[in-house]
Amino acid sequence: MEQMSNEMPHWLTKRAFLTPDREAVSDGRRSWSFWELKERARDVARRLARLGVGRGDRVAVLMDNHLDYAAWIHAISFLGAVAVPLNTRLAPAEWGWQVADAEAKVWVFDESLEERVCEADEAGWEAVRISRQEIASTSPAEVELVERICLTDPATMMYTSGTTGRPKGVILTYGNHWWNAMGSVLNLGLQEDKWLACVPLFHMSGLSILMRGVIYGMAVEIQAGFDPAEANRSIHERGVTIVSVVSNMAARMLDDLGEQTYPLSFRCLLLGGGPAPRPLLERCRDKGVPVFQTYGMTETASQAATLSPEGSLARLGSAGKPLFPGELTIRKGDQTLPPGEEGEIAVRAPYVTPGYWKRPDATREAIRDGWLYTGDIGYVDEQGFLYVLDRRSDLILSGGENVYPAEVEAVLLSHPAVAEAGVVGKTDARWGEVPVAFVVLRSEGGVDEQVLIRHCRERLARYKVPVQIIWTDALPRNASNKVLRRKLKAKLEQRMNEG
Amino acid sequence: MEQMSNEMPHWLTKRAFLTPDREAVSDGRRSWSFWELKERARDVARRLARLGVGRGDRVAVLMDNHLDYAAWIHAISFLGAVAVPLNTRLAPAEWGWQVADAEAKVWVFDESLEERVCEADEAGWEAVRISRQEIASTSPAEVELVERICLTDPATMMYTSGTTGRPKGVILTYGNHWWNAMGSVLNLGLQEDKWLACVPLFHMSGLSILMRGVIYGMAVEIQAGFDPAEANRSIHERGVTIVSVVSNMAARMLDDLGEQTYPLSFRCLLLGGGPAPRPLLERCRDKGVPVFQTYGMTETASQAATLSPEGSLARLGSAGKPLFPGELTIRKGDQTLPPGEEGEIAVRAPYVTPGYWKRPDATREAIRDGWLYTGDIGYVDEQGFLYVLDRRSDLILSGGENVYPAEVEAVLLSHPAVAEAGVVGKTDARWGEVPVAFVVLRSEGGVDEQVLIRHCRERLARYKVPVQIIWTDALPRNASNKVLRRKLKAKLEQRMNEG
């Protein structure tokens, strides 16, 4: 009797065979069919093979969002190699560190980034550094490309910072990507969809859209960066049905939308990147925007839990339930906590990473008994809906009570004069820590510090109310637009030292 | 580093957790939500456990189409046992044979079938025979039900005959069902669907609908039998969006539809069971019926190839391309034939059965080098679209059921007066085809046609019994002494033409 195999045809080859003429990727001006995407990816693969890239090799990819990104991801898999997407916003030294850690054979980049790439110290890594434009002008090699993939083989490796020290390479297998795509489709359904990628393709939120595109046979629109008007235009004029965003992006899209409404074809605003402020969710609800809150991370190949269509109105603020093939529990140590109790979110699913690259200790610490301990804090209600309270590293401990910055920020944001807010803990002799808020005001309005603090006092327990408001022009955010609270914290400490 | 596991939460438990209130199954009058279905299935499981059913045990299920069928399939899996659906149209002796071959621990049946069940000879099997109504009145046992399933574990076993007499048990794992459901969704998409099961649930075409229902979170309407007016009513009045049929059923639905057209919500008429007559496909096209031809069998957990929406009009008569996770080639022996050339259809996919129960030789013959040799004849065109020319050259398709000549011939030969027998299909307006037997008598004996037909009736399902016996002096045979059924068929057609 044969064991069930974990092999299947190469996704892009198969997709191009099934639906050659369907649109695969577009950027609002140009578009490639699946057949074209496959041909381009195979062509890139043959040129890349000239540099000696073969099965299992890592290829670092430092590129902005564009159509070629899709071709490159598949080209690397046609050689059985592993794509290592680099964050374009990092400092050159950080790129160099990741390239070295990954032991990448080739580091390919957009020509426009060449100058900065050359700033990376060459110590510790041996990758061939070459721009994709230069590779395009080489001649293709005669090599056998991968025809079948194995779900247990690594497909990509992406670095995440985590809470402490150096970033770690998160290995994701073809199976991880596959199972996450299946879990998502069983929740969101599949129609004649077009998914907008205006989040970076070097992040899981963007990369997962490329993976789903080829598995589902679905069009993906790639935008170079996030522009709320352009995102809205793709929905209104170019048939985009699903958009992945974080809270801040959603808010700006709604601002741009103004008095208009979205067409019915727009069926899913997938809202990730942490707990969403309640006022934003209420605004979406009031305007009939089909918002689906989701919770996920690189280690879960994107979504780990997502609110189902049924739940989205009734459970405002929840990130839903774990995708069909997966499970989620709240833990305190190795103990599973009952509904309503706050603890660490743990995930078990076929889309969970097998581990961190060359970090057996970190892997053993994060994945225990098949469960990924996320380090994030949340609870589930009686029906199993997940409420994410905060990332653990951001937790403010004040007089034995837990303060979750996101909760405080949401209250600040509900004040009409506040555009952005970030809350961190300040060391305090009496309470251990106390919350302090950084606030960006709306251009048209102004508000007194005491008025804003009173606004919080009326809505929060005393220990959660910021002891101080620091006015600022902008909040530091990462490529996914998440507020970087640790930078705020550094800023605060600097002020205190100076003051 | 952890290996990707093949485990996931039990499908029905997980589905009831995700979407408890959604409709799971209905029969046009009653309906159960997923929560209700789960509760009922778990209740049945606990009662069934009283009979000693545990992990790996086979449970034969002899039931008509009704809501309880769904509860029973899942109940058996809650015990880690394997469901063995029996065809209600078989003769009691055939049931007994399958129960014995499966070494079933329990044989559960609808009370209405009790009299016929008692006709089954008790020799050779030790299953507890009990009606589901009787089980319902027992008290539930305190047992631990299965919370997680493993994709490599067997879920169901269904008997199919073949070229060699006795039926064989086709083992299907959870993974086989899962992968087929995934392949199907990637082709047909998933909306707020309702799938009509008016084909028998004891066949793969019906059972696969139950599996998809729970995986997709999709409503399934179960009809007791096929009635074209009732099928059409479910589309017009009860929101059915997908219907599985064979040609004969599709034709009768169109007859009943008359001058009406279907609502736009009806998006897929999945047409299986062998090559469809071209006039029927043209009729569907002219009426705007969204017909999708498909090719599949028990061994592939239903669909192996299905026409995609794009292809359905342009490729009339094609059964499409293999589902996303699978492959299909045309073989002559072990050689792959080029496009356009006719040969044996071979399938390789994670939804292909691991093999036949207790039949290592038959398994080795059917599955070679990972490829399932189907015995069916077809070709692929330059674009890879499959055209099925004929099921195993000698298969008789009668009213949606497969009749294997070898099985009928074996029964004829068991009569002392019969020296040789050859069975072929005769075209029939109502059933598509009906079996006819050519018989050579032993020189010493004689037998009346009606006696011989009665002999068959006692041992075979009604639809397998020859409608006519044609006495002859010798059967055409090849050099290896195999009956040349195509020559018999030619002879039959000649007789019919002569009048």
Side-chain angles (χ1 to χ4, degrees), chain A residues 31-328:
Chain A
S31 87
W32 297 343
S33 68
F34 281 106
W35 188 266
E36 253 180 298
L37 177 61
K38 181 204 70 174
E39 288 299 308
R40 283 172 187 268
R42 292 173 73 90
D43 180 71
V44 169
R46 290 196 185 93
R47 293 170 202 271
L48 189 55
R50 279 252 179 265
L51 302 175
V53 173
R55 206 169 267 277
D57 289 336
R58 271 83 49 213
V59 177
V61 176
L62 178 68
M63 295 183 192
D64 291 315
N65 273 20
H66 47 56
L67 298 192
D68 275 308
Y69 208 111
W72 267 87
I73 289 294
H74 296 299
I76 291 166
S77 89
F78 273 129
L79 295 176
V82 178
V84 184
L86 300 180
N87 182 334
T88 56
R89 298 176 196 180
L90 296 187
E94 292 175 291
W95 293 334
W97 190 89
Q98 292 183 11
V99 168
D101 185 71
E103 299 167 14
K105 193 144 197 174
V106 170
W107 175 4
V108 64
F109 52 85
D110 281 335
E111 221 165 40
S112 55
L113 295 165
E114 184 147 24
E115 215 167 295
R116 297 189 60 221
V117 168
C118 290
E119 290 170 32
D121 187 2
E122 288 191 33
W125 50 275
E126 288 164 20
V128 175
R129 263 191 300 193
I130 183 168
S131 75
R132 74 179 159 88
Q133 285 84 352
E134 195 176 336
I135 289 180
S137 69
T138 64
S139 65
E142 290 282 334
V143 285
E144 275 207 18
L145 301 180
V146 165
E147 289 299 332
R148 285 164 69 72
I149 55 156
C150 181
L151 292 183
T152 52
D153 281 347
T156 61
M157 187 162 91
M158 216 174 246
Y159 279 82
T160 51
S161 311
T163 51
T164 49
R166 292 293 200 179
K168 302 186 286 289
V170 179
I171 298 167
L172 289 179
T173 63
Y174 286 94
N176 293 148
H177 291 291
W178 172 267
W179 281 93
N180 198 285
M182 291 303 103
S184 179
V185 84
L186 292 178
N187 183 39
L188 301 179
L190 179 61
Q191 307 181 8
E192 284 180 30
D193 285 310
K194 189 174 191 174
W195 201 314
L196 173 63
C198 53
V199 287
L201 296 174
F202 56 72
H203 275 333
M204 201 55 232
S205 53
L207 183 67
S208 63
I209 301 174
L210 292 185
M211 293 296 180
R212 288 182 199 131
V214 70
I215 294 172
Y216 298 170
M218 171 186 74
V220 172
E221 179 168 326
I222 298 173
Q223 292 184 355
F226 176 65
D227 172 41
E230 197 53 35
N232 281 339
R233 250 195 302 282
S234 74
I235 295 169
H236 282 293
E237 296 170 18
R238 295 191 297 272
V240 159
T241 61
I242 307 178
V243 180
S244 297
V245 291
V246 298
S247 300
N248 176 275
M249 295 162 71
R252 291 173 62 197
M253 284 172 70
L254 286 181
D255 287 345
D256 175 80
L257 188 65
E259 294 303 306
Q260 280 189 289
T261 53
Y262 286 118
L264 280 178
S265 55
F266 179 46
R267 68 186 192 86
C268 174
L269 183 72
L270 194 66
L271 182 60
R278 217 185 153 80
L280 172 67
L281 295 173
E282 284 165 350
R283 227 173 129 200
C284 285
R285 184 193 54 195
D286 295 346
K287 278 202 81 86
V289 177
V291 63
F292 290 67
Q293 241 200 293
T294 181
Y295 166 72
M297 65 212 75
T298 306
E299 285 89 336
T300 61
S302 93
Q303 303 167 55
T306 303
L307 206 54
S308 67
E310 279 99 331
S312 56
L313 282 181
R315 306 271 167 180
L316 219 58
S318 167
K321 294 177 177 176
L323 302 187
F324 193 84
E327 293 160 277
L328 185 153

Side-chain angles (χ1 to χ4, degrees), chain B residues 465-487:
Chain B
V465 174
V467 297
Q468 187 185 356
I469 307 279
I470 299 169
W471 311 106
T472 182
D473 293 335
L475 295 182
R477 289 179 185 273
N478 70 5
S480 336
N481 234 341
K482 271 195 198 164
V483 174
L484 292 168
R485 297 203 186 90
R486 60 188 162 77
K487 289 213 170 170

Side-chain angles (χ1 to χ4, degrees), chain A residues 1-12 14-20 22 147-148 151-152 171 173 175-176 178-179 182 185-192 214-217 267 308-310 321-328 348-350 353-358 363 367-370 383-385, chain B residues 1-12 14-20 22 147-148 151-152 171 173 175-176 178-179 182 185-192 214-217 267 308-310 321-328 348-350 353-358 363 367-370 383-385:
Chain A
M1 206 171 294
E2 304 252 333
Q3 260 302 334
M4 187 177 54
S5 110
N6 272 314
E7 289 190 16
M8 55 191 302
H10 187 279
W11 295 342
L12 181 52
K14 178 72 190 216
R15 178 46 65 194
F17 166 72
L18 286 178
T19 54
R22 258 193 225 170
E147 289 299 332
R148 285 164 69 72
L151 292 183
T152 52
I171 298 167
T173 63
N176 293 148
W178 172 267
W179 281 93
M182 291 303 103
V185 84
L186 292 178
N187 183 39
L188 301 179
L190 179 61
Q191 307 181 8
E192 284 180 30
V214 70
I215 294 172
Y216 298 170
R267 68 186 192 86
S308 67
E310 279 99 331
K321 294 177 177 176
L323 302 187
F324 193 84
E327 293 160 277
L328 185 153
R348 178 167 67 171
T353 174
Y356 300 106
W357 171 249
K358 295 193 304 181
T363 300
I367 306 174
R368 304 197 298 271
D369 229 1
Q383 283 74 46
F385 286 91
Chain B
M1 203 172 293
E2 302 253 332
Q3 260 303 335
M4 185 175 60
S5 108
N6 272 314
E7 287 190 16
M8 56 192 299
H10 187 277
W11 295 342
L12 182 53
K14 177 75 192 212
R15 177 47 64 193
F17 167 72
L18 286 178
T19 54
R22 259 192 225 171
E147 289 300 333
R148 286 165 66 74
L151 293 183
T152 52
I171 298 167
T173 63
N176 293 148
W178 172 268
W179 282 93
M182 291 302 103
V185 83
L186 292 178
N187 183 40
L188 300 180
L190 179 61
Q191 306 180 10
E192 284 181 30
V214 71
I215 293 171
Y216 298 170
R267 67 186 192 87
S308 67
E310 281 99 331
K321 294 176 176 177
L323 301 188
F324 193 83
E327 293 159 278
L328 185 153
R348 177 166 69 171
T353 173
Y356 300 106
W357 170 250
K358 294 193 303 181
T363 300
I367 306 174
R368 303 196 299 269
D369 229 1
Q383 283 73 44
F385 286 90

Side-chain angles (χ1 to χ4, degrees), chain B residues 241 243 262-271 284-285 287-293 312:
Chain B
T241 62
V243 180
Y262 286 118
L264 281 177
S265 55
F266 179 47
R267 67 186 192 87
C268 174
L269 183 72
L270 193 65
L271 182 59
C284 286
R285 184 191 56 195
K287 278 203 81 92
V289 177
V291 62
F292 291 67
Q293 241 200 293
S312 57

